[in-house]
């Protein structure tokens, strides 16, 4: 009678667990992959590294950008003799504009333009003495340190290699993450199926034990048969506990891959497909 009650309680508990699992909406594999790509911390770190390599490439390429330079200078000048004599100061205003273009040889080509004005400041009234304007071309080329393309293009080449390597590493990380997510997804589905199988085996063993116990009460079964049935039930219970532990570990691994926090509710996944699939396009 006790065995019958225990069997009934076990069946009710299994039915309740199955009903709770059935009520939980399963997470499709495509959605699981999107979740992993959006929230996985390792992939987020690889994205930041790839972005840093692109920034480094832009910084290396910026060394050859066109530059604009503009300067204005206002000055007053008097000699010591003029100061002693109380003469007025000579004022000047110098303005220069330049466009500079660095090249791979380390040189800088500059186009310059200037406008200058000189006057005497007499009692606050400016008297122009000279106004001049000019334009010029200037080229500066280092011959030793910092000269020639083998030196100046090295940082740009290294930055390009680094950016390409970071993109390849990011692509490899994405593919590895998708593989880990898919393996973890179907691993959890297989673990849940194994739990259901073990629970079915446990119910069958419990039913067989009840049948053997009833037959022994009627004298149609031996004590050895009953002990064998009880041992089978115990083994099936251990198998159920092991399968549930493996399912919990698979759930934890999948949550880690998907970037989800650990929760009390089990993560719902689709059941294993009846037919083998070749790729994600098949489901």
């Amino acid at each position: 009678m006790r065995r019958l009650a225990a069997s009934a309680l076990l069946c009710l508990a299994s039915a309740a667990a199955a009903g709770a699992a059935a009520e939980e909406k399963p997470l499709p594999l495509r959605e699981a992959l999107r979740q992993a790509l959006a929230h996985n911390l390792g992939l987020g770190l690889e994205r930041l590294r790839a972005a840093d390599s692109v920034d480094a490439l832009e910084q290396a390429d910026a060394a050859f950008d066109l530059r604009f330079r503009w300067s204005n200078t206002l000055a007053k000048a008097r000699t010591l003799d003029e100061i002693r004599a109380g003469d007025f100061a000579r004022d000047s205003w110098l303005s220069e504009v330049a466009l500079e273009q660095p090249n791979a040889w380390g040189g800088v080509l500059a186009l310059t333009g200037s406008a200058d004005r000189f006057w005497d400041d007499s009692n606050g009234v400016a008297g122009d003495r000279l106004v001049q304007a000019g334009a010029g071309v200037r080229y500066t080329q280092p011959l030793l340190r910092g000269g020639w393309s083998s030196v100046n293009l090295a940082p740009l080449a290294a930055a390009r290699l680094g950016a390409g390597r970071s993109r390849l590493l990011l692509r490899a990380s994405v593919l590895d993450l998708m593989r880990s997510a898919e393996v973890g997804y179907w691993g959890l589905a297989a673990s849940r199926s194994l739990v259901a199988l073990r629970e079915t085996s446990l119910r069958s063993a419990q039913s067989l034990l009840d049948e053997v116990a009833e037959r022994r009460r009627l004298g149609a079964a031996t004590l050895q048969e009953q002990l064998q049935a009880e041992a089978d039930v115990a083994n099936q219970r251990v198998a159920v506990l092991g399968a549930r532990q493996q399912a919990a570990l698979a759930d934890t691994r999948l949550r880690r891959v998907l970037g989800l926090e650990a929760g009390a509710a089990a993560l719902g996944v689709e059941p294993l497909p009846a037919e083998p699939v070749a790729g994600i396009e098949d489901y």
Side-chain angles (χ1 to χ4, degrees):
M1 187 66 182
R2 291 179 179 176
R3 294 193 184 94
L4 291 175
S7 178
L9 290 176
L10 179 61
C11 293
L12 289 175
S14 300
E23 291 177 359
E24 184 179 1
K25 185 178 179 181
L27 179 68
L29 179 59
R30 287 182 180 273
E31 186 62 31
L33 293 176
R34 295 191 189 96
Q35 182 78 16
L37 294 175
H39 300 285
N40 185 268
L41 298 180
L43 184 60
L45 181 60
E46 289 296 334
R47 287 196 182 101
L48 291 178
R49 289 174 179 170
D52 289 342
S53 66
V54 174
D55 292 341
L57 176 60
E58 292 180 355
Q59 291 175 5
D61 189 57
F64 302 98
D65 289 346
L66 184 65
R67 303 169 186 173
F68 174 76
R69 183 169 55 84
W70 178 34
S71 64
N72 283 306
T73 303
L74 179 63
K76 291 179 177 291
R78 283 194 300 175
T79 65
L80 293 177
D81 294 336
E82 291 174 342
I83 294 175
R84 295 190 189 98
D87 294 339
F88 299 108
R90 293 185 302 275
D91 296 342
S92 62
W93 179 74
L94 310 177
S95 179
E96 184 181 14
V97 177
L99 291 177
E100 300 176 346
Q101 177 62 61
N103 56 35
W105 289 358
V108 179
L109 176 64
L111 301 178
T112 62
S114 61
D116 305 329
R117 179 189 174 195
F118 303 90
W119 70 92
D120 293 331
D121 190 1
S122 177
N123 294 327
V125 179
D128 290 340
R129 294 177 53 190
L130 178 65
V131 176
Q132 65 181 15
V137 178
R138 183 177 65 252
Y139 182 76
T140 304
Q141 174 62 52
L143 298 179
L144 296 177
R145 183 178 180 180
W148 316 116
S149 59
S150 59
V151 175
N152 293 280
L153 293 180
L156 183 59
R160 286 177 178 172
L161 290 176
R165 179 176 178 271
S166 297
R167 284 193 294 267
L168 293 177
L169 288 176
L170 178 59
R171 178 178 176 82
S173 299
V174 169
L175 295 177
D176 289 342
L177 179 60
M178 294 179 67
R179 177 187 59 81
S180 300
E182 187 170 355
V183 170
Y185 186 91
W186 293 124
L188 179 57
S191 299
R192 298 273 174 81
S193 299
L194 182 60
V195 169
L197 178 62
R198 297 300 186 190
E199 290 176 348
T200 301
S201 299
L202 176 60
R203 288 193 294 268
S204 299
Q206 186 66 46
S207 299
L208 180 60
L209 175 60
D210 295 340
E211 180 181 352
V212 171
E214 183 64 21
R215 287 171 54 200
R216 185 169 181 274
R217 188 180 66 82
L218 298 176
T222 63
L223 177 60
Q224 182 180 0
E225 292 177 345
Q226 183 175 357
L227 293 177
Q228 181 65 36
E230 290 177 353
D232 190 18
V233 169
N235 292 334
Q236 293 299 331
R237 286 176 178 171
V238 173
V240 167
L241 293 177
R244 288 176 178 173
Q245 183 179 9
Q246 292 299 324
L249 292 176
D251 183 271
T252 301
R253 287 193 295 267
L254 182 58
R255 287 180 183 273
R256 187 185 305 116
V257 172
L258 300 184
L260 299 176
E261 297 181 357
L267 186 63
V269 295
E270 296 178 344
L272 288 174
E275 298 293 335
V277 295
I280 191 173
E281 293 82 5
D282 293 342
Y283 44 83

